[in-house]
Amino acid sequence: MVLRLSTLFLRTLREDPADAEVASHRLLVRAGYIRRAAPGIYSWLPLGLKVLGRVERIVREEMEAIGAQEVHFPALLPKEPYEATNRWTEYGDGIFRLKDRKDADYLLAPTHEEMFTLLVKDLYASYKDLPVSLFQIQTKYRDEARPRAGLLRGREFIMKDSYSFDIDDAGLEASYQAHRGAYLRIFERLGLGVVPAPATAGAMGGSRSEEFLHPTPLGEDPLVRPARGATANGGAVTPVGPDAVGFPDAPAAEVRDTPDTPTIVTLVDHANASAPREDRAWAAADTLKNVVLAAVLPAGEREIVVIGVPGDRSVDLKRIEATIAGHVGTGGEVAVEAATEEDLEKHPGLVKGYIGPGLSLDAAVLGAEATTGLTYLVDPRVVPGTSWITGANEHGTHVFGLVAGRDFGWDGGIEAVEGREGDEAPDGSGPLVAARGIEMGHIFQLGRKYADALGLKVLDANGKLATVTMGSYGVGVPRAIAALAESNHDDRGIIWPRNVAPADVHVVATGKGAEIFEAAEALTAELEAAGLEVLYDDRPKVSPGVKFGDAELIGVPTIVVVGRGLAEGVLEVKDRRTGQAQNVAVDDVVGLLRGLVEH
């Protein structure tokens, strides 16, 4: 069916929406693809649904090609399955909760691991039923604290989520690789450049995780690229710490008064003014920053943990969450957040702004064991023999020359900060180069976490009950559309890749004579008969300038102008991407356009 602009539900905008922060948001609204309904919530208009449908079709075809079967769950879900996995509590304020008229608790699904697991449990009982992979393309809901950037970070969004179910780890690996290959083909067909990057599993858990990141300066995820080898998410790069060194001749640690130095900046400034070095100036990297965090355990208890990192680094809570469970005595998911004032009041030995590595002042100087009773973990860059300036656990004092392994110890190491530009690559290829990326997809080897929690077991080949192992795989469909618009536009509008454009050809009739519109109508009918989808600007009293402006804003990759050249038997065919135009004989246009679309 031809889309006629005279009747299409569409109003293009000349001005940018006031809340638009990025180009994709601005152009998708202006071109009439989406419309804001509330913060982080958007309505899809006819042109937007055309693009959405094309993206979903590509995703669906590639999932079915690896044998995955489509299902569809409700978005309104009961509380009980999420209680069984403890995610009802762990999600905190991140989900939408509601009650029905009988006061029963429900949630709007942020993701569907529990429901997929229970469905397979309900229907399958034997290893002979496995492997199986199921997927859906469905709306999800998360109460995003700061929705932004249009479709890139919203409260309601569409996701393709799929799950594999296998009897053993070898089967999980095969399913994981099948999905990985499908994802690479999906993004290739979309014309969306991505790099697979090893990532932390975070709250999802599991033994392996990869993100598919689209490199772009506006991305929220850090990318680091070694001189050779694989790109990785900055939060998943294995840090290369210094080698441990001996310290038999290291000077004794010295406690100094450092008034009004509660921050790294003020401490470094004070050190350079009061105790300058001969070889170079003191820097933030010479300080040991001790960050107090609260590990929120599955039952809701708060365990206070102190993490020592170089003062020029910031802790990455997501990265810490992925690995801290083994340090706080629990096998469940652990949320990590900054310690509150109330937390600090319960531990008076932690003097805010002057916190040392878990030792009292005297113990630190004498090299005694930790006395605070709190778990103390350090970044891999803190190794025996390294010397630091750090807090003395007394207001207005720091310790200079505190040697790791001599003056203080620790309970364990933890990867607590992101990799960044200039860090040594784990493969030894040289320094890392930093970039940014948008997460387009994420795949996980979940293992048996959800199957254990929900009792998904089947009989194995020996007739014994075995817990099924699972994989989880997600693609953000609207995110892909936003990323495509972000990467494919100019100052006049969107330039869609042909695979996802709302139409194959945009026919524009310009002029006042009836013969112009008759020829455009005939061309449109021929194109449709040839199997092409057509957007036809048949508005009779709209100026050519407005029509051309709308065509460039909407972004169909090929524009055909039926206008003055008709008198000479030619039409203008314009490539939206290059801006190049050519006059083509009327009788040759359909064949040319079919070739462009089928190429």
Side-chain angles (χ1 to χ4, degrees):
M1 179 180 176
V2 175
L3 297 173
R4 299 174 183 272
L5 262 65
S6 61
T7 56
L8 184 65
F9 188 68
L10 172 70
R11 286 293 182 271
T12 57
L13 305 176
R14 297 292 166 248
E15 301 296 329
D16 294 338
D19 61 336
E21 301 173 295
V22 297
S24 59
H25 184 191
R26 173 169 52 84
L27 293 172
L28 287 169
V29 173
R30 282 188 53 205
Y33 288 91
I34 60 174
R35 193 76 177 171
R36 181 182 183 272
I41 304 172
Y42 290 85
S43 301
W44 290 86
L45 306 187
L47 286 181
L49 283 176
K50 285 284 186 181
V51 176
L52 184 67
R54 287 197 166 194
V55 174
E56 289 183 351
R57 182 179 67 196
I58 289 171
V59 172
R60 190 170 276 116
E61 287 173 357
E62 292 300 334
M63 293 308 301
E64 291 174 348
I66 63 170
Q69 302 173 62
E70 187 169 7
V71 297
H72 190 84
F73 285 100
L76 179 64
L77 300 175
K79 171 184 178 181
E80 288 74 19
Y82 290 82
E83 272 194 317
T85 60
N86 203 43
R87 294 210 296 177
W88 177 264
T89 300
E90 289 171 355
Y91 268 120
D93 295 332
I95 59 173
F96 291 98
R97 296 175 169 85
L98 63 157
K99 291 180 179 289
D100 68 7
R101 65 184 66 196
K102 297 180 180 179
D103 206 37
D105 288 306
Y106 289 82
L107 75 159
L108 294 178
T111 182
H112 279 82
E113 282 82 3
E114 287 82 354
M115 304 311 293
F116 275 88
T117 304
L118 289 173
L119 179 64
V120 174
K121 177 184 177 181
D122 185 38
L123 296 177
Y124 278 0
S126 169
Y127 76 98
K128 296 178 181 179
D129 298 321
L130 304 178
V132 65
S133 289
L134 304 174
F135 78 97
Q136 66 173 345
I137 300 176
Q138 207 253 26
T139 304
K140 312 289 188 184
Y141 300 87
R142 293 179 189 170
D143 193 1
E144 177 65 45
R146 290 174 294 277
R148 58 176 295 272
L151 299 178
L152 289 174
R153 183 166 290 280
R155 292 178 169 176
E156 177 186 271
F157 54 95
I158 299 167
M159 179 183 286
K160 187 289 298 178
D161 53 328
S162 55
Y163 300 85
S164 62
F165 300 84
D166 288 275
I167 190 64
D168 55 26
D169 292 341
L172 171 59
E173 177 64 22
S175 295
Y176 182 91
Q177 292 300 333
H179 277 82
R180 189 180 191 275
Y183 274 34
L184 292 173
R185 291 188 293 273
I186 286 169
F187 296 122
E188 181 180 7
R189 289 180 62 184
L190 290 175
L192 187 62
V194 298
V195 289
T200 56
M204 289 286 287
S207 59
R208 184 178 178 187
S209 170
E210 286 179 277
E211 293 176 334
F212 293 80
L213 298 170
H214 172 59
T216 172
L218 64 85
E220 294 182 336
D221 291 285
L223 278 173
V224 284
R225 299 172 181 270
R228 63 176 183 270
T231 298
N233 182 297
V237 175
T238 301
V240 179
D243 293 330
V245 295
F247 41 80
D249 300 324
E254 180 182 358
V255 178
R256 298 187 180 185
D257 290 331
T258 53
D260 301 319
T261 57
T263 67
I264 297 298
V265 171
T266 55
L267 174 60
V268 171
D269 288 344
H270 182 90
N272 281 314
S274 64
R277 295 174 57 140
E278 295 181 358
D279 54 342
R280 61 172 175 82
W282 292 106
D286 298 315
T287 68
L288 181 64
K289 177 168 55 178
N290 296 289
V291 182
V292 185
L293 301 175
V296 184
L297 307 184
E301 308 99 317
R302 298 173 67 84
E303 182 170 330
I304 302 305
V305 178
V306 182
I307 298 181
V309 301
D312 62 336
R313 304 278 178 155
S314 297
V315 296
D316 178 0
L317 296 185
K318 181 178 177 182
R319 185 168 199 175
I320 293 170
E321 280 184 341
T323 57
I324 199 171
H327 296 290
V328 293
T330 177
E333 294 180 4
V334 177
V336 176
E337 59 188 44
T340 64
E341 292 294 338
E342 184 178 353
D343 292 326
L344 294 176
E345 288 173 1
K346 295 178 181 178
H347 299 278
L350 299 175
V351 182
K352 188 175 181 180
Y354 301 90
I355 297 173
L359 306 175
S360 69
L361 175 59
D362 291 338
V365 173
L366 296 174
E369 296 297 322
T371 59
T372 63
L374 297 177
T375 298
Y376 184 59
L377 307 173
V378 295
D379 180 81
R381 296 163 185 84
V382 181
V383 299
T386 52
S387 179
W388 305 91
I389 302 174
T390 192
N393 285 327
E394 286 192 2
H395 188 79
T397 60
H398 282 84
V399 185
F400 284 61
L402 196 73
V403 176
R406 183 192 71 179
D407 300 325
F408 70 97
W410 46 89
D411 298 305
I414 188 168
E415 295 179 9
V417 302
E418 291 179 351
R420 69 183 186 191
E421 189 163 67
D423 285 351
E424 184 67 25
D427 62 5
S429 60
L432 298 173
V433 178
R436 307 295 299 180
I438 300 173
E439 182 185 333
M440 294 290 100
H442 208 150
I443 57 178
F444 302 86
Q445 290 189 2
L446 290 180
R448 296 169 176 80
K449 171 182 175 179
Y450 292 91
D452 277 332
L454 296 167
L456 173 55
K457 299 176 184 291
V458 298
L459 292 175
D460 64 16
N462 298 315
K464 297 181 179 180
L465 283 175
T467 303
V468 172
T469 186
M470 295 171 54
S472 172
Y473 320 91
V475 169
V477 179
R479 269 193 166 217
I481 293 172
L484 285 168
E486 200 67 46
S487 300
N488 296 274
H489 73 273
D490 58 19
D491 58 354
R492 297 182 298 277
I494 302 170
I495 310 171
W496 291 113
R498 193 170 295 281
N499 270 0
V500 301
D504 298 313
V505 181
H506 189 152
V507 175
V508 180
T510 63
K512 298 180 180 179
E515 69 281 1
I516 297 290
F517 287 89
E518 290 171 0
E521 191 74 42
L523 173 63
T524 297
E526 287 186 64
L527 292 171
E528 186 180 24
L532 276 63
E533 295 186 45
V534 182
L535 179 63
Y536 173 31
D537 194 342
D538 61 339
R539 295 174 292 178
K541 296 182 180 180
V542 177
S543 71
V546 170
K547 288 187 175 184
F548 293 149
D550 283 346
E552 291 181 321
L553 178 62
I554 290 169
V556 174
T558 302
I559 302 169
V560 179
V561 180
V562 184
R564 288 179 297 181
L566 183 64
E568 300 175 2
V570 297
L571 307 178
E572 182 182 84
V573 178
K574 183 175 182 180
D575 186 322
R576 176 68 182 90
R577 181 169 294 276
T578 66
Q580 296 179 344
Q582 59 178 316
N583 288 327
V584 180
V586 172
D587 292 341
D588 297 335
V589 168
V590 173
L592 173 68
L593 296 177
R594 283 188 62 182
L596 290 174
V597 172
E598 293 172 359
H599 179 66

